[in-house]
Amino acid sequence: MPPITPEQALAELYAGNRRFVTGAPHHPNQDAGHRAAVADGQHPFAVLVGCSDSRLAAEIIFDRGLGDLFVVRTAGHTAGPEVLGSVEYAVTVLGTPLVVVLGHDSCGAVQAAREAVRTGTSPSGHLGAVVDAVAPSLLRAAREGVEDLDGIVDIHIAQTVEALLARSSVLAGEVAAGRCTVVGLSYRLSAGEVRTVAEAPAGSPATPVPAPAAPADPALAG
């Protein structure tokens, strides 16, 4: 049975990530039998709003399979209307209890935005829209005195969590009603580990709270 509460869903993601990091993946729900079982319907336990980086494949780094994760990916996990609509579909129609914003260190979208701000230029084509979406996070980092790239990435992840809740009254309502949690996770490319950056717990007024600086593993909590 899939996790049915936000807490169970987050714990399951952390457990899968630990298996991936330690080189002992289970590869669950990837066999032909499960493929047939989910052909007529899906019940994913988490929505992943992730960066499009090729090294950030959600089903691999969380050791999950078919039907487990509802994945929406854009460069720099930017959240336009289509992303918001996809998240709302997952939490209201599919009943998914957890929304995760998944970013990573050395993010190219954040680097491009920082370079554009530094030089006062904007990339050509639609890449400029990605830079524009990341720019508020750079301004926030500057206000908070954060200059290193990975620190800015963490701020951008938290900023995306806040943006999802601010722009989607549907999602904010699901969080306030206690049916959904929104979490921001940061992934380390070399180590393969994730850690919590921000969280809007189920039942809260949908205001994200910073996580501890050290990696937080629900399986080890308490």
Side-chain angles (χ1 to χ4, degrees), residues 161-162 165-166 168 171-177 182 199-209:
V161 170
E162 295 172 14
L165 294 164
S168 174
L171 178 59
E174 291 294 304
V175 171
V182 184
E199 180 176 8
S204 73
T207 301
V209 295

Side-chain angles (χ1 to χ4, degrees), residues 148-174:
D148 69 286
L149 178 62
D150 291 341
I152 296 173
V153 167
D154 283 358
I155 287 175
H156 181 49
I157 294 169
Q159 184 89 358
T160 305
V161 170
E162 295 172 14
L164 290 177
L165 294 164
R167 297 173 186 168
S168 174
S169 59
V170 172
L171 178 59
E174 291 294 304

Side-chain angles (χ1 to χ4, degrees), residues 6-109:
E7 295 79 12
Q8 289 172 338
L10 184 59
E12 188 63 34
L13 287 182
Y14 265 102
N17 179 246
R18 178 54 51 190
R19 294 194 299 270
F20 169 69
V21 170
T22 58
H26 294 172
H27 302 297
N29 300 334
Q30 297 181 21
D31 58 280
H34 189 74
R35 182 184 67 217
V38 298
D40 292 332
Q42 60 171 322
H43 302 283
F45 68 83
V47 186
L48 270 293
V49 179
C51 181
S52 296
D53 191 291
S54 61
R55 299 161 292 182
L56 207 66
E59 284 85 357
I60 294 177
I61 68 175
F62 291 113
D63 190 29
R64 299 309 312 179
L66 299 173
D68 291 334
L69 306 178
F70 191 89
V71 182
V72 186
R73 297 175 70 182
T74 62
H77 48 81
T78 55
E82 296 83 0
V83 171
L84 293 172
S86 298
V87 171
E88 290 176 358
Y89 172 78
V91 299
T92 60
V93 178
L94 302 179
T96 308
L98 178 67
V99 176
V100 172
V101 174
L102 180 62
H104 64 94
D105 57 357
S106 305
C107 179

